[in-house]
Amino acid sequence: MMRTVTVVGASLAGLHAARGLRDQGYDGRLVIVGEERHRPYDRPPLSKAFLTGEGPTGDGGPDGGLGPLALTDPEDEAELDAEWLLGVRADRLDPRAGTVGLADGRTLRTDGVVIATGAAPRTLRAAAPPGVHTLRTLDDARRLRAGLRAGAERVVVIGAGFIGAEVASSCAALGLDVTVVEAAPLPLVPQLGERMARACAALHAAHGVTLLCGTGVATLRGTHRVTGVELADGRVLPADVVVVGVGVRPVTGWLEGSGLALDDGVLCDEGCATALPSVVAVGDVARLALPGTGRTVRAEHWTSAAEQGAVAARNLLAGATVQPFGALPYFWSDQYGARIQFAGRREPGDTVRIAEGDPDAGAGPGGGFLAVYERDAIPTAVLAVNRPKPFTRLRRELARAPRLAAR
C-alpha cells in the first residue's frame, strides 16, 4: 500500500503523472519536487510568441508569476492536494531505503517514485562569454528575450533542430539579422528524411535567414561579451547574441548508484515502469521499450510528456505494467508562420508520397503540402506543412491502424 508517492520533476510530465494518480483514486500523500522555483508551465511558447511578445509573456505580475503560461490554477491545485517542494534539486534515490534525497539536505521517505526530471540543454565545449544562451526554461527565455531587446542586431543560432529553427524564426520576426549554423549536411534528416527535410529547411532562406550546413563551431569570440562565432572552416560570423540549440541530455546524474538502468535516459518497459519496484519514469527522461522491435526510444515532445503520465500512474499503483503506452508519436513546430506537424515513426527506406500540395513551392500564403511515408505500401507516418485538417484525419487513421513493426 502506497502512503506516499513522490514525483521528482515539476514538469508537464510530472504534473500529468500527479493528475493521473489522483484520477485513478490515489488519496495518499503526494509530493512534487521541482528544481525550478516555478510551478509547471507551458514550454512551447518560449521559443516562439514569448520571444516576439505576441503571446503569453510569463510575467504574471511584480512577483514574476507565470501568467498565461501556467498549467495549473488554484482550483486545479486544490484538487491535486499535493505538497510542492520547489527550487530544490533531488540528488539521490535510494530504493531500498525508500527515500529521495534533496540537495538542501532533506530526505523524503516515499513508497513510490515518478521520475520526471526531463532533460537539460547540451552546451558547446568552448567557454561561453556573456550573450550566449541556451533555451529550456522560463528563466532561460527571459534572459534571451532581454538580450534580444538590448540593442542586438545580429543573431547566430547554433543548431537547426526544432528549437533552433523556432528561435531563428522568432528573431527574424523581430527584424534581426539571423544566421543558423548546422553541423549536419541538412537539418532534421533523421526525423523527416532528406527530401522532406530539404523542403522544411527552405523556410529559412524564404524568410531572409541564412542557413549554413555541414560545418561546426570552432570557438566563440569575445571576452566581456560575445562578438562572433568562429566556424570550423575558418569563417567568422559577427554576433551580438548567440543561441545554442544542439540537443539535450536526460537529467539522470542524480540516479547514479540507485540501481536503475540508465542509457541516455531511464530504461523502462513499454508501460513506463523501471526494473525497480514502485519506480516509473515519464517524459523526456524516460526511454521506453518498443514491443516487437528490441529497441528503446526517448520521445522529447510535448504530447508524449502529457500522455505518458496517466499510463505510468496506473502501472505504479498496480505494482506491475497492466497498460502499455501505445500512443502514436506526434510533434509540431511553428516556424515563419508555417505549422509543421508530424505523426508516426519513419524508418530509413520508407518511401514518401505527396498527397497534397508541392514541397518545392514554399509555404507562403496558400502554400504547404501533405506527405505520407509508406513501407510496403502501408502508411507509417505523415508530415504536413500548413495542412492541419487532412493531417488530423490521417493521424487518426494511423492511430487506429495496426502498428507496422520496424525492420
Side-chain angles (χ1 to χ4, degrees):
M1 180 178 180
M2 291 192 180
R3 294 181 175 84
T4 300
V5 174
T6 301
V7 178
V8 185
S11 57
L12 173 74
L15 175 64
H16 278 263
R19 286 174 173 168
L21 288 166
R22 292 304 192 207
D23 289 344
Q24 293 172 53
Y26 175 70
D27 60 1
R29 183 187 180 209
L30 180 58
V31 182
I32 302 176
V33 178
E35 184 173 359
E36 292 185 66
R37 58 190 175 90
H38 310 294
R39 276 172 161 73
Y41 57 87
D42 203 22
R43 295 184 190 272
L46 298 183
S47 58
K48 299 184 278 288
F50 181 92
L51 295 181
T52 62
E54 297 174 353
T57 65
D59 298 322
D63 60 349
L66 295 173
L69 291 174
L71 292 174
T72 62
D73 58 31
E75 184 177 344
D76 294 328
E77 294 178 15
E79 291 181 1
L80 200 58
D81 189 24
E83 299 175 33
W84 296 85
L85 302 180
L86 301 177
V88 61
R89 176 175 51 85
D91 64 2
R92 61 196 180 281
L93 171 65
D94 187 339
R96 290 187 178 181
T99 60
V100 172
L102 305 183
D104 63 5
R106 286 179 289 177
T107 299
L108 305 176
R109 295 198 173 274
T110 189
D111 303 299
V113 176
V114 178
I115 299 170
T117 42
R122 295 185 182 277
T123 57
L124 301 178
R125 293 181 180 179
V132 178
H133 301 263
T134 56
L135 180 57
R136 181 72 179 180
T137 69
L138 175 58
D139 292 337
D140 291 339
R142 285 173 171 163
R143 286 188 289 268
L144 175 56
R145 186 177 61 182
L148 295 174
R149 294 180 178 182
E153 296 181 359
R154 300 161 299 184
V155 177
V156 174
V157 178
I158 303 172
F162 291 112
I163 290 295
E166 289 170 0
V167 169
S169 170
S170 297
C171 292
L174 292 171
L176 304 175
D177 183 324
V178 185
T179 301
V180 179
V181 178
E182 170 59 47
L186 191 67
L188 301 176
V189 169
Q191 295 87 352
L192 306 181
E194 183 174 347
R195 183 185 179 193
M196 295 298 97
R198 194 176 302 279
C200 291
L203 288 168
H204 293 292
H207 292 82
V209 171
T210 301
L211 174 63
L212 302 178
C213 292
T215 183
V217 172
T219 190
L220 300 171
R221 292 194 171 187
T223 303
H224 303 293
R225 185 81 188 172
V226 69
T227 59
V229 176
E230 182 177 339
L231 304 182
D233 60 15
R235 285 177 290 178
V236 176
L237 306 176
D240 305 306
V241 170
V242 173
V243 183
V244 179
V246 293
V248 298
R249 53 176 177 77
V251 179
T252 58
W254 69 285
L255 297 169
E256 297 288 346
S258 67
L260 283 170
L262 307 175
D263 182 8
D264 188 36
V266 179
L267 292 178
C268 303
D269 67 10
E270 65 272 20
C272 303
T274 73
L276 294 181
S278 303
V279 179
V280 298
V282 292
D284 292 357
V285 75
R287 178 168 286 278
L288 272 60
L290 289 177
T293 69
R295 295 166 48 196
T296 59
V297 64
R298 229 174 21 88
E300 299 172 3
H301 304 300
W302 190 98
T303 307
S304 298
E307 293 179 344
Q308 286 175 359
V311 172
R314 182 179 180 188
N315 294 334
L316 179 64
L317 295 177
T321 295
V322 296
Q323 179 183 350
F325 177 71
L328 189 73
Y330 166 68
F331 62 81
W332 79 92
S333 180
D334 294 321
Q335 303 172 23
Y336 306 104
R339 167 59 63 99
I340 301 172
Q341 296 172 283
F342 183 92
R345 284 194 175 93
R346 171 203 164 267
E347 297 291 336
D350 287 0
T351 59
V352 179
R353 174 172 56 86
I354 305 304
E356 287 188 18
D358 181 359
D360 300 321
F369 61 89
L370 182 73
V372 180
Y373 296 83
E374 297 175 334
R375 194 177 321 148
D376 300 328
I378 299 174
T380 59
V382 57
L383 168 70
V385 176
N386 290 341
R387 290 290 190 275
K389 289 185 178 180
F391 172 86
T392 299
R393 173 179 56 80
L394 287 175
R395 179 188 175 194
R396 288 172 179 166
E397 291 178 5
L398 273 176
R400 290 194 298 263
R403 297 296 165 83
L404 185 64
R407 287 196 282 234

